[in-house]
Amino acid sequence: MLVLGCSQHSPDPIRSLAGDSLYARGEFGAARAAWRGELASTTLADQRRAHLLTSVGLASYHIADYEEAERVADSALDIEHAHGINGAELFRTENALGLIAWNRGHLSVAETRFQDAVRTARSINDTASIAKALANIGLVLTDYADFQAARSAFLEAQAASHSIGDSRTEGNAHTNLAMVALRMGDLSTAEEQANEGLRLYHQTDFEIGEQNALGQLATVEAAKGNPRAAFAAIDSAMTIVRRHGLKQEEASDLEILGDLYAEAGDLRAAAHYYDQSQQLFAASKIELEAANVLRDRAAVDAALADTVSARERAHRARLAHHGLGAIGEELDDRFLEIELAANDNVGLDRELDEADSLARSIGSAPARVQSALERATVLERRGKSQQALSRLASVRTLLRESGAEYRWQDDALRARAFAQLALLDSAEQAGREAISIIEHVQSGYQSGPLRTAYAARQNQVYADLVAVLLREGKTAAAFETADAARGRATTERLSSAHRQGERKSTAGSVLQATSLRAQIDTLAAHLEATENGDSRGGGGGGGGSDQRVIQRDLRDRLTRARTEYEALLARADVGDGAELVGLMPTRAARVQGSLVRDEALLTYTVAQDTLFTFVLRRDTILAFSTAQRRADLGSQVRVLRDLLQQPTTNGRGAAAAEALYDLLIEPAVRSGLLDGVSRLLIVPDGVLTYLPFAALQDHRDGRFLIERHLLTFLPSAAALPVMRSRDQSATRTPWPPRSSVALAPFPRDLPASAMEAERFRARLPSATALIDNRATEHALRESLAAGGVVHIASHAELNRMNPMFSEIRLAPGVPGANDDDGRLQLFEVFGLEIRSPLVFLSGCETGVGAASSSDVEQGEDYATLARAFLFAGARDVVATLWRIDDAGAAELADRFYAHLPAASPTEALALAQREMLRQTRYAAAYYWAGYQVSGAEHLGNMEQ
């Protein structure tokens, strides 16, 4: 986590009213222009010229133009030396040069400049200037990781500035004391000092200082496990720095935002902010901070399993920090390289020894704790659990004052070590303590996507506790723990769906408060125009190449803007999470009580090396643990998907489908718990979210799973009682429901879609078919709110770079209206109030999210069109796992609606799929296996 320092500036012994007034207000560009104008005079005295050059240097320093800042300040110093100018003027220039060097990471040069400033201040017996220069030396000492000496310097500055009533300088001292306290692991002192700095800055209306204190507070709150407060603080800081055009401070705040998203597990957003920060630091040649962000980015690469890039970036960061003498930062580089090292790395023990020695010499509690955690992790992996526990015990006192991240990691490590030693009671207790901290932090995130991502990041902690509970014979508790890893955000969303009308303006208010949506719309329109022009035969040769360059640039800019907006949505306030059912624990008994007699619930948890399968009936619960590497399971699923997405009937994929049946279904069959079961409710996890369960085959007779059971899919087991309770309390719906609508906006591109819509209208009395330009986004929004079945036969686009911008395409309506532009995007769906008992998304890949094409699974995939409709209030959603043939889609939909009046959506889909697979024309799984029903699968409140 980035920790900002606040530098001490020098008083101006010679005043320039215009420039000084602008400078004091934080208008540094205007101040520099005023001082440059005065410098143009040829009649200036040498002392006045030197003063103005230093002033220009300080203004350039503030707007991160360090090359000019250093050049003009050096010129001032040359004049002062040549003409014997000393005292306050010389101190001011030396101090400014020290600040410029420090900000660029040139620590040895900065230290020399500040020492010169101290000597000059002492020569004129100026106590305030001495204290300021010593405080600035404290910044260098902090980067050298000499925290005690730095703290002494800052305390001296605080006392001196307080004695003369200089609130701004005193505020700087308190902010820097907060920085040192953070580095030393004293969070309570850090918070106290940062708040005092903020109070003093606010008292003197000094916004530049306020943003720095807010950055410190963001870091403190994140370390304490309060992400909501951390985001609020850094958002306030960003508002200030952008208002004043402070590029270095903006880069630092962007890095903090990257840290917050990385800790939340939103790696795309973290990479986005780190890259922005890196660009700003690199442009200003701020070497130390650029190296810090390089390490941050390496950690994201590691989390994304890109170990080659992670190691390369981490190594470059370490070399840069070593060259700059930034010992504390180099230690963090070492920790990352240790995490990236293979278990059999011959140099790993030496690296651990060196890191431990360096951590002890620094005297920082977080450094010693992290060193102990790294050592204990290696020991536990080598099976030396008792040694791992001893190592953790050695920093137990320090851990009590450490941040939430360190504390849950310690508990999780102890749980694994106890489990290795078969001390199951202790392992369970430590595992529960780890999860308690994790869930406390998780509850502090303001939105479902971030809560979900954070839980997914800690997936292995939950899996470890599941394994311990199963060894203890506590099957129900194991099931509850497994479901808790994914169930919070989904259940929360479902339980609060009825309040969407009150909350739907949240995203919109954020959107309207910024220019981001306008920028996105403009870029998207421009890109579409250039692509359409190119598709109509836009010039070839050099012109065509130029066009492609323009399009690539537009796509990159659009992706960046959308990523920024997704991140903004993710941290938007969506209400008090403590009031939501989704934050309550999963209860096995409640889930079982929601099952009917002929149902069984299958839930899966995909851990690093183990697959956990739970089978629930109304009166029984069983669990199975299978040694299975997550990566291998992902490969199996992708192979089967690739084979089935071919419209052939030659039996390709049978072996892969049988292998997955044996892994996922056969244990439950052998247990006897599927005897008499007609319908399976399935809660997939990770890559299993993208598996066509319907096409799994029993090797004994070759029958597909869909031929034996009806299949319904749920985002979590905890969602089942919430959804069925919601259905039972809803108004009874007559069947067929009135106001049912089918939309087919592109009959020319998708010829069968018009027939699909007309067949829908024929199957459901009083239904409407909206075809071509009548099928607008506005019409869809009205249909979803009207309470009837809604069928959408259209293009759907999965945006793998920006999942929240995945969309369903419709006919454009009112020009310039965001809610009628022909693109219903996923983030908009979350804000709808949907009353439909059934939404059928007959498009391409409407049931999958971005992780379907990734080697990295993010736990439950929150960002899918199907789940978005479910969360917004639809009772059941039919969606697809891959691109479906146009004619095949129309055929399946017609068969589905033919059965629907006498069957539930799950039954109707299963009957349609069974009929399709028995027909030569549509027998290939490509045509029918990609359809899934998600929802409660309970239409008992409908009047037949």
PDB file of all heavy atoms in Angstrom, residues 541-555:
ATOM      1  N   GLY A 541      -5.191   0.355 -49.057  1.00  0.00           N
ATOM      2  CA  GLY A 541      -3.846   0.898 -49.084  1.00  0.00           C
ATOM      3  C   GLY A 541      -3.538   1.688 -47.846  1.00  0.00           C
ATOM      4  O   GLY A 541      -3.893   1.338 -46.736  1.00  0.00           O
ATOM      5  N   GLY A 542      -2.865   2.848 -48.033  1.00  0.00           N
ATOM      6  CA  GLY A 542      -2.472   3.662 -46.896  1.00  0.00           C
ATOM      7  C   GLY A 542      -3.660   4.160 -46.109  1.00  0.00           C
ATOM      8  O   GLY A 542      -3.666   4.179 -44.900  1.00  0.00           O
ATOM      9  N   GLY A 543      -4.761   4.545 -46.852  1.00  0.00           N
ATOM     10  CA  GLY A 543      -5.943   5.023 -46.138  1.00  0.00           C
ATOM     11  C   GLY A 543      -6.532   3.964 -45.250  1.00  0.00           C
ATOM     12  O   GLY A 543      -6.940   4.221 -44.133  1.00  0.00           O
ATOM     13  N   GLY A 544      -6.582   2.701 -45.753  1.00  0.00           N
ATOM     14  CA  GLY A 544      -7.124   1.614 -44.940  1.00  0.00           C
ATOM     15  C   GLY A 544      -6.284   1.371 -43.709  1.00  0.00           C
ATOM     16  O   GLY A 544      -6.802   1.112 -42.630  1.00  0.00           O
ATOM     17  N   SER A 545      -4.970   1.462 -43.862  1.00  0.00           N
ATOM     18  CA  SER A 545      -4.075   1.277 -42.720  1.00  0.00           C
ATOM     19  C   SER A 545      -4.293   2.376 -41.690  1.00  0.00           C
ATOM     20  O   SER A 545      -4.341   2.118 -40.493  1.00  0.00           O
ATOM     21  CB  SER A 545      -2.619   1.270 -43.197  1.00  0.00           C
ATOM     22  OG  SER A 545      -1.738   1.191 -42.110  1.00  0.00           O
ATOM     23  N   ASP A 546      -4.440   3.629 -42.162  1.00  0.00           N
ATOM     24  CA  ASP A 546      -4.706   4.738 -41.248  1.00  0.00           C
ATOM     25  C   ASP A 546      -6.009   4.523 -40.509  1.00  0.00           C
ATOM     26  O   ASP A 546      -6.127   4.815 -39.312  1.00  0.00           O
ATOM     27  CB  ASP A 546      -4.769   6.052 -42.026  1.00  0.00           C
ATOM     28  CG  ASP A 546      -3.402   6.473 -42.570  1.00  0.00           C
ATOM     29  OD1 ASP A 546      -2.394   5.924 -42.087  1.00  0.00           O
ATOM     30  OD2 ASP A 546      -3.375   7.331 -43.466  1.00  0.00           O
ATOM     31  N   GLN A 547      -7.010   4.008 -41.236  1.00  0.00           N
ATOM     32  CA  GLN A 547      -8.312   3.753 -40.620  1.00  0.00           C
ATOM     33  C   GLN A 547      -8.190   2.723 -39.510  1.00  0.00           C
ATOM     34  O   GLN A 547      -8.788   2.860 -38.443  1.00  0.00           O
ATOM     35  CB  GLN A 547      -9.301   3.266 -41.691  1.00  0.00           C
ATOM     36  CG  GLN A 547     -10.732   3.156 -41.199  1.00  0.00           C
ATOM     37  CD  GLN A 547     -11.450   4.493 -41.196  1.00  0.00           C
ATOM     38  OE1 GLN A 547     -10.833   5.550 -41.093  1.00  0.00           O
ATOM     39  NE2 GLN A 547     -12.764   4.448 -41.307  1.00  0.00           N
ATOM     40  N   ARG A 548      -7.419   1.698 -39.750  1.00  0.00           N
ATOM     41  CA  ARG A 548      -7.245   0.664 -38.729  1.00  0.00           C
ATOM     42  C   ARG A 548      -6.532   1.219 -37.507  1.00  0.00           C
ATOM     43  O   ARG A 548      -6.842   0.845 -36.367  1.00  0.00           O
ATOM     44  CB  ARG A 548      -6.485  -0.530 -39.312  1.00  0.00           C
ATOM     45  CG  ARG A 548      -7.323  -1.388 -40.263  1.00  0.00           C
ATOM     46  CD  ARG A 548      -6.619  -2.683 -40.601  1.00  0.00           C
ATOM     47  NE  ARG A 548      -5.428  -2.455 -41.412  1.00  0.00           N
ATOM     48  CZ  ARG A 548      -5.438  -2.368 -42.739  1.00  0.00           C
ATOM     49  NH1 ARG A 548      -6.577  -2.479 -43.408  1.00  0.00           N
ATOM     50  NH2 ARG A 548      -4.316  -2.173 -43.403  1.00  0.00           N
ATOM     51  N   VAL A 549      -5.571   2.105 -37.726  1.00  0.00           N
ATOM     52  CA  VAL A 549      -4.873   2.735 -36.601  1.00  0.00           C
ATOM     53  C   VAL A 549      -5.850   3.570 -35.777  1.00  0.00           C
ATOM     54  O   VAL A 549      -5.853   3.529 -34.546  1.00  0.00           O
ATOM     55  CB  VAL A 549      -3.703   3.608 -37.104  1.00  0.00           C
ATOM     56  CG1 VAL A 549      -3.124   4.441 -35.956  1.00  0.00           C
ATOM     57  CG2 VAL A 549      -2.614   2.742 -37.720  1.00  0.00           C
ATOM     58  N   ILE A 550      -6.706   4.312 -36.471  1.00  0.00           N
ATOM     59  CA  ILE A 550      -7.705   5.129 -35.778  1.00  0.00           C
ATOM     60  C   ILE A 550      -8.647   4.248 -34.973  1.00  0.00           C
ATOM     61  O   ILE A 550      -8.966   4.533 -33.807  1.00  0.00           O
ATOM     62  CB  ILE A 550      -8.492   5.981 -36.800  1.00  0.00           C
ATOM     63  CG1 ILE A 550      -7.580   7.048 -37.414  1.00  0.00           C
ATOM     64  CG2 ILE A 550      -9.710   6.628 -36.149  1.00  0.00           C
ATOM     65  CD1 ILE A 550      -8.200   7.790 -38.585  1.00  0.00           C
ATOM     66  N   GLN A 551      -9.094   3.167 -35.612  1.00  0.00           N
ATOM     67  CA  GLN A 551     -10.019   2.258 -34.916  1.00  0.00           C
ATOM     68  C   GLN A 551      -9.362   1.628 -33.701  1.00  0.00           C
ATOM     69  O   GLN A 551      -9.989   1.505 -32.642  1.00  0.00           O
ATOM     70  CB  GLN A 551     -10.510   1.181 -35.882  1.00  0.00           C
ATOM     71  CG  GLN A 551     -11.446   1.700 -36.961  1.00  0.00           C
ATOM     72  CD  GLN A 551     -11.753   0.659 -38.007  1.00  0.00           C
ATOM     73  OE1 GLN A 551     -11.265  -0.472 -37.936  1.00  0.00           O
ATOM     74  NE2 GLN A 551     -12.558   1.025 -39.000  1.00  0.00           N
ATOM     75  N   ARG A 552      -8.108   1.229 -33.822  1.00  0.00           N
ATOM     76  CA  ARG A 552      -7.417   0.624 -32.682  1.00  0.00           C
ATOM     77  C   ARG A 552      -7.287   1.623 -31.534  1.00  0.00           C
ATOM     78  O   ARG A 552      -7.494   1.291 -30.365  1.00  0.00           O
ATOM     79  CB  ARG A 552      -6.043   0.120 -33.117  1.00  0.00           C
ATOM     80  CG  ARG A 552      -5.285  -0.599 -32.005  1.00  0.00           C
ATOM     81  CD  ARG A 552      -4.061  -1.343 -32.538  1.00  0.00           C
ATOM     82  NE  ARG A 552      -3.135  -0.457 -33.209  1.00  0.00           N
ATOM     83  CZ  ARG A 552      -2.891  -0.464 -34.526  1.00  0.00           C
ATOM     84  NH1 ARG A 552      -3.542  -1.314 -35.311  1.00  0.00           N
ATOM     85  NH2 ARG A 552      -2.034   0.370 -35.063  1.00  0.00           N
ATOM     86  N   ASP A 553      -6.963   2.871 -31.894  1.00  0.00           N
ATOM     87  CA  ASP A 553      -6.852   3.907 -30.861  1.00  0.00           C
ATOM     88  C   ASP A 553      -8.198   4.149 -30.189  1.00  0.00           C
ATOM     89  O   ASP A 553      -8.284   4.270 -28.952  1.00  0.00           O
ATOM     90  CB  ASP A 553      -6.341   5.201 -31.493  1.00  0.00           C
ATOM     91  CG  ASP A 553      -6.293   6.349 -30.488  1.00  0.00           C
ATOM     92  OD1 ASP A 553      -5.507   6.260 -29.525  1.00  0.00           O
ATOM     93  OD2 ASP A 553      -7.058   7.314 -30.659  1.00  0.00           O
ATOM     94  N   LEU A 554      -9.279   4.191 -30.988  1.00  0.00           N
ATOM     95  CA  LEU A 554     -10.612   4.393 -30.420  1.00  0.00           C
ATOM     96  C   LEU A 554     -10.996   3.239 -29.500  1.00  0.00           C
ATOM     97  O   LEU A 554     -11.571   3.457 -28.427  1.00  0.00           O
ATOM     98  CB  LEU A 554     -11.642   4.544 -31.545  1.00  0.00           C
ATOM     99  CG  LEU A 554     -11.644   5.888 -32.287  1.00  0.00           C
ATOM    100  CD1 LEU A 554     -12.545   5.800 -33.521  1.00  0.00           C
ATOM    101  CD2 LEU A 554     -12.126   7.012 -31.367  1.00  0.00           C
ATOM    102  N   ARG A 555     -10.695   2.004 -29.931  1.00  0.00           N
ATOM    103  CA  ARG A 555     -11.024   0.848 -29.090  1.00  0.00           C
ATOM    104  C   ARG A 555     -10.272   0.909 -27.770  1.00  0.00           C
ATOM    105  O   ARG A 555     -10.835   0.622 -26.702  1.00  0.00           O
ATOM    106  CB  ARG A 555     -10.691  -0.447 -29.826  1.00  0.00           C
ATOM    107  CG  ARG A 555     -11.624  -0.773 -30.972  1.00  0.00           C
ATOM    108  CD  ARG A 555     -11.418  -2.198 -31.465  1.00  0.00           C
ATOM    109  NE  ARG A 555     -12.047  -2.391 -32.760  1.00  0.00           N
ATOM    110  CZ  ARG A 555     -11.416  -2.311 -33.932  1.00  0.00           C
ATOM    111  NH1 ARG A 555     -10.121  -2.067 -33.959  1.00  0.00           N
ATOM    112  NH2 ARG A 555     -12.069  -2.483 -35.062  1.00  0.00           N
TER     113      ARG A 555
END
